[in-house]
Amino acid sequence: MMNQVGFVLNIITLSIDIFTCLISLIIFITIINYRCHNHIKQEDKITFILCTNIYPLTMIYTALMVLTNIQTLLGDLYGHNSNSSLCIFLGYFSTVLLSMLYWAFVNQAFYRLCRIVYTTYIWLQSSMLYILLPFIELILICILLSPVLFWNDIIYLPKENYCFVTMTNVRGVLWLLLNAFFLPVSLLPLIYLRITKYLRQQYNYQAYIVQQRQKRDLLVIRRILITAGLLIALGIPSTVLAIILFITGEEHPLFMRIEFCLVSITLMGECLSMVIITPQLKNIIIKKI
């Protein structure tokens, strides 16, 4: 029975990943096409850069997950073994990509913070900064998550036919959760609080046009927070299973498949929500439709 449920979960996850990958590709091509054929204002240019950073990451990550799910299917159906050094690296790199996606949301909020609070620091609103930022983050994330490689925490999981940190490895799991997930997510509410505090202090001293622009920026950050909240909520079932694991010492046989299915749903939601929370992107998509 568990094998059948696991197989179905794998098929569902694979389908979601393929859908998300294709949608990300379509939106990414749409953004590039629009930028090539239209004049874009400076402030909108950075918004497009931030979106352009998110969709390739989503596309690459979901493509990697498609490969992982196919490996699992081959393992379930034919007993295929994918254990290799490449398998270990892909298990590590998938976590790096997922962390970069969360940092991409932080970059969006950071840009709004700079536009509202640190308007005098022009370099914080330059296009080049937001082009370089993902590459800097990639290097830092790779360094930050590298201990799981040196500790040999990423291992081949024969039941899943891919490589990842097993949930019984408390050190590896906590390290990945804290550095790849909680660190970027915790910054979002801090940025929001900083902006709201600043707006309350400055509201009576600013021109109406400036106030309207800042309200729009704040609205975008609120939407980002809501999206992040939904993404976190999807991880609650996995958290419950993890708590049960730590208490009982027994891992649920479908834990990893449930986890990856929820991650896939999360990414699909993130992919679609970006269109909703970004007015410029939403207008482009509506025009194309």
Side-chain angles (χ1 to χ4, degrees):
M1 181 63 182
M2 283 294 182
N3 290 337
Q4 292 177 346
V5 174
F7 185 80
V8 171
L9 277 173
N10 193 248
I11 293 294
I12 293 172
T13 305
L14 177 61
S15 302
I16 294 172
D17 286 335
I18 292 173
F19 172 78
T20 306
C21 187
L22 291 175
I23 290 296
S24 299
L25 176 61
I26 292 169
I27 295 176
F28 177 64
I29 292 173
T30 302
I31 294 172
I32 296 299
N33 181 63
Y34 183 85
R35 288 188 63 186
C36 291
H37 296 91
N38 295 273
H39 174 72
I40 302 174
K41 295 184 294 184
Q42 177 62 26
E43 60 182 54
D44 288 342
K45 187 181 294 185
I46 296 177
T47 301
F48 282 114
I49 289 171
L50 291 169
C51 292
T52 306
N53 291 339
I54 288 176
Y55 283 104
L57 284 172
T58 305
M59 186 172 58
I60 295 170
Y61 180 81
T62 50
L64 184 57
M65 288 300 99
V66 167
L67 175 62
T68 300
N69 280 288
I70 290 174
Q71 286 180 342
T72 302
L73 283 175
L74 291 174
D76 288 345
L77 295 173
Y78 306 110
H80 184 266
N81 188 317
S82 300
N83 189 13
S84 65
S85 299
L86 178 61
C87 175
I88 300 291
F89 174 76
L90 291 178
Y92 162 75
F93 189 59
S94 64
T95 309
V96 170
L97 287 174
L98 190 60
S99 180
M100 285 193 68
L101 276 168
Y102 282 107
W103 278 105
F105 277 98
V106 175
N107 293 345
Q108 288 227 357
F110 176 72
Y111 169 59
R112 306 292 172 176
L113 174 70
C114 295
R115 281 225 313 176
I116 295 173
V117 180
Y118 304 109
T119 53
T120 55
Y121 296 88
I122 305 301
W123 66 275
L124 289 176
Q125 301 173 54
S126 68
S127 301
M128 186 55 63
L129 172 64
Y130 295 95
I131 292 173
L132 295 176
L133 199 55
F135 296 100
I136 297 171
E137 288 171 347
L138 174 61
I139 295 171
L140 293 177
I141 292 169
C142 286
I143 294 172
L144 199 58
L145 299 184
S146 61
V148 294
L149 285 177
F150 298 122
W151 295 334
N152 295 317
D153 285 345
I154 298 178
I155 61 173
Y156 175 69
L157 306 177
K159 292 182 180 179
E160 310 300 334
N161 198 31
Y162 58 75
C163 298
F164 203 67
V165 177
T166 177
M167 294 308 299
T168 55
N169 185 338
V170 178
R171 178 188 61 187
V173 170
L174 288 179
W175 186 266
L176 291 181
L177 282 177
L178 289 173
N179 293 291
F181 178 70
F182 287 115
L183 181 58
V185 169
S186 63
L187 289 176
L188 289 173
L190 293 177
I191 292 174
Y192 177 76
L193 290 173
R194 177 69 182 94
I195 291 175
T196 51
K197 181 180 178 181
Y198 175 83
L199 290 179
R200 286 172 184 167
Q201 292 173 342
Q202 302 293 322
Y203 189 80
N204 295 326
Y205 304 99
Q206 293 173 330
Y208 176 76
I209 295 176
V210 175
Q211 290 177 5
Q212 291 301 109
R213 191 189 72 176
Q214 291 178 344
K215 284 182 179 179
R216 288 196 299 270
D217 287 335
L218 188 60
L219 178 61
V220 170
I221 294 179
R222 283 175 182 166
R223 289 171 178 170
I224 292 173
L225 278 173
I226 292 171
T227 303
L230 292 173
L231 302 185
I232 293 170
L234 284 171
I236 291 175
S238 298
T239 304
V240 172
L241 289 175
I243 292 172
I244 294 173
L245 166 64
F246 293 141
I247 293 174
T248 63
E250 296 181 4
E251 182 178 353
H252 192 282
L254 297 178
F255 184 95
M256 297 302 293
R257 303 204 184 196
I258 294 172
E259 174 68 20
F260 276 89
C261 185
L262 290 173
V263 169
S264 297
I265 294 172
T266 296
L267 286 178
M268 181 177 65
E270 168 263 322
C271 179
L272 298 174
S273 68
M274 276 301 301
V275 177
I276 298 171
I277 68 176
T278 310
Q280 297 91 333
L281 183 57
K282 182 167 66 175
N283 291 335
I284 293 173
I285 300 299
I286 290 173
K287 287 178 182 178
K288 290 294 180 181
I289 295 175

